[in-house]
Amino acid sequence: MNVSEAIRAKRSIRQFTDQPVPTAAVRAILDAGRRAQSSKNTQPWAFVVVRDRAALQALADCGPFAKHLAGAAVAVALLSPDPAERWSIPFDVGQAAAYMQLAAWELGIGSCLAAIYEMDKARAILGIPAGKGEATREWPARSRGDSRAPLRPYFYAALSFGYPAPGTAHAPRRGGRRALAEIVRWDKW
Amino acid sequence: MNVSEAIRAKRSIRQFTDQPVPTAAVRAILDAGRRAQSSKNTQPWAFVVVRDRAALQALADCGPFAKHLAGAAVAVALLSPDPAERWSIPFDVGQAAAYMQLAAWELGIGSCLAAIYEMDKARAILGIPAGKGEATREWPARSRGDSRAPLRPYFYAALSFGYPAPGTAHAPRRGGRRALAEIVRWDKW
């Protein structure tokens, strides 16, 4: 599947079959996210793979738009330093998420982004140290093998993955996005 | 070019040939960004295509990491509401940027992200109303055809596009990203 076709055809999938996603496919998806570019190559992300059904169901209760996590074959928690620290952090995590979702689509695997509203509850489910603080600033250093104090990553988004339930992977409806003429200006605002 | 190959091989290109990028290719790139998903489908973005050499050179002086804009065949200014308003805004713009850069790569066109540090200066170059304020909150409504007061979009990033200068589009070096084992945890933090 070429890039433009994947971008054209991909849609959010919120209902999945019971078919497990092979570990090799999960690794391929993670690897796509790993390869994303980032500001000064800081790679301000970490991923927790969630396969336990009880954990998925608990995460699904961490926000009004996270319900689809309950039925995912596997989910990936997207962790980063405080996204409010600078715009490039969520921007970069967004790029990594886009790579993962496109790579999954090419493998026939659907996905959907879930916003995590109840961060401390979600952190507790995955055993992530709770609280906010300066420790998150050490993310890149620690990820490079530094043995400083444990990180307390921010956990505000997760991706559901799984094989699309029948009838859910059809082509996107027309009109789902604004037309180019509405969002593009040429040469001047 | 399939998705996984594009993700694996794509690298940031900061030097370009003099070859113009055809308008059809620019439109294909913009269309890839347009198709990106976003929080509640808000599509919190607008794009200004910059082809004028003087404007590109002026934008290149709007930040220490924007120099490559000066030599781009074309640039796309990424505009959004205030990225500090909520994490999903820069996250979504990051997804749209990733789509554009991957779509470009498939067309043989290189790209690089530029951070715009001097926002008001950059806005003036493109004729974007300066200042911050509540108007940016009206972005989605206005983009849907609402005729309320003009927007004053935030302009904090741009993409350079162009055909890669000889020797710049080789495969990414090994070790440019952390290994999966460094950034992934399975089932628990």
Side-chain angles (χ1 to χ4, degrees):
Chain A
M1 182 183 296
N2 68 29
V3 172
S4 63
E5 171 59 16
I7 287 172
R8 193 194 64 73
K10 181 191 156 295
R11 55 176 301 148
S12 290
I13 302 295
R14 295 178 175 79
Q15 293 175 282
F16 307 96
T17 70
D18 291 338
Q19 187 183 347
V21 173
T23 300
V26 175
R27 293 184 69 88
I29 291 166
L30 294 165
D31 201 49
R34 183 184 76 87
R35 290 181 184 277
Q37 68 184 5
S38 55
S39 175
K40 303 187 184 75
N41 199 27
T42 44
Q43 306 166 65
W45 47 61
F47 310 130
V48 179
V49 181
V50 186
R51 297 172 289 188
D52 178 68
R53 184 59 49 199
L56 290 166
Q57 288 170 342
L59 288 173
D61 287 330
C62 291
F65 305 103
K67 301 302 172 199
H68 52 84
L69 287 165
V74 56
V76 174
L78 306 175
L79 311 179
S80 81
D82 183 356
E85 196 174 290
R86 54 180 186 280
W87 64 261
S88 67
I89 291 172
F91 187 99
D92 291 342
V93 177
Q95 295 185 95
Y99 275 24
M100 285 194 267
Q101 293 191 268
L102 281 180
W105 190 258
E106 181 169 62
L107 297 172
I109 296 164
S111 62
C112 190
L113 186 73
I116 300 295
Y117 281 55
E118 297 183 61
M119 193 187 303
D120 284 337
K121 181 174 161 185
R123 282 198 274 217
I125 293 164
L126 298 186
I128 300 167
K132 304 178 179 182
E134 75 295 337
T136 60
R137 294 187 176 275
E138 298 175 8
W139 185 284
R142 185 176 179 282
S143 292
R144 289 194 180 284
D146 189 304
S147 60
R148 278 182 270 180
L151 285 166
R152 290 171 286 183
Y154 280 63
F155 178 14
Y156 47 95
L159 290 164
S160 287
F161 291 99
Y163 292 96
T168 62
H170 50 81
R173 65 185 169 84
R174 292 184 70 85
R177 299 286 185 271
R178 290 180 196 114
L180 266 191
E182 278 191 81
I183 60 166
V184 173
R185 299 187 186 193
W186 295 76
D187 300 309
K188 283 285 183 186
W189 176 257
Chain B
M1 182 183 295
N2 67 31
V3 173
S4 63
E5 172 60 17
I7 288 173
R8 193 195 64 74
K10 180 191 156 295
R11 56 174 302 146
S12 290
I13 302 296
R14 295 178 175 80
Q15 293 176 281
F16 307 97
T17 69
D18 291 336
Q19 186 183 346
V21 173
T23 301
V26 175
R27 292 185 69 89
I29 291 166
L30 295 165
D31 201 50
R34 183 185 76 87
R35 290 182 184 275
Q37 69 184 4
S38 55
S39 175
K40 303 188 184 76
N41 198 29
T42 44
Q43 307 166 64
W45 47 62
F47 311 131
V48 180
V49 181
V50 186
R51 297 171 290 188
D52 178 68
R53 183 60 50 200
L56 290 165
Q57 288 170 343
L59 288 173
D61 287 331
C62 291
F65 305 104
K67 301 302 174 201
H68 51 84
L69 287 166
V74 57
V76 173
L78 306 175
L79 311 180
S80 80
D82 183 356
E85 197 176 290
R86 52 180 188 278
W87 65 261
S88 68
I89 291 171
F91 187 99
D92 291 341
V93 177
Q95 295 185 95
Y99 275 23
M100 284 194 268
Q101 292 191 269
L102 282 180
W105 190 259
E106 180 170 63
L107 297 171
I109 296 164
S111 63
C112 190
L113 186 74
I116 301 294
Y117 282 55
E118 297 183 63
M119 192 187 301
D120 283 339
K121 182 175 162 183
R123 282 198 275 214
I125 293 164
L126 299 186
I128 300 167
K132 303 178 179 182
E134 74 296 335
T136 60
R137 293 187 176 274
E138 297 175 7
W139 184 286
R142 186 177 179 280
S143 292
R144 289 193 181 282
D146 189 304
S147 59
R148 278 180 270 181
L151 285 166
R152 289 169 287 182
Y154 280 63
F155 178 14
Y156 47 96
L159 290 164
S160 286
F161 291 100
Y163 292 96
T168 63
H170 51 79
R173 64 185 170 84
R174 291 184 67 87
R177 298 287 184 272
R178 291 183 194 113
L180 266 192
E182 277 191 82
I183 59 167
V184 173
R185 299 190 184 189
W186 295 76
D187 301 309
K188 282 286 182 185
W189 175 257

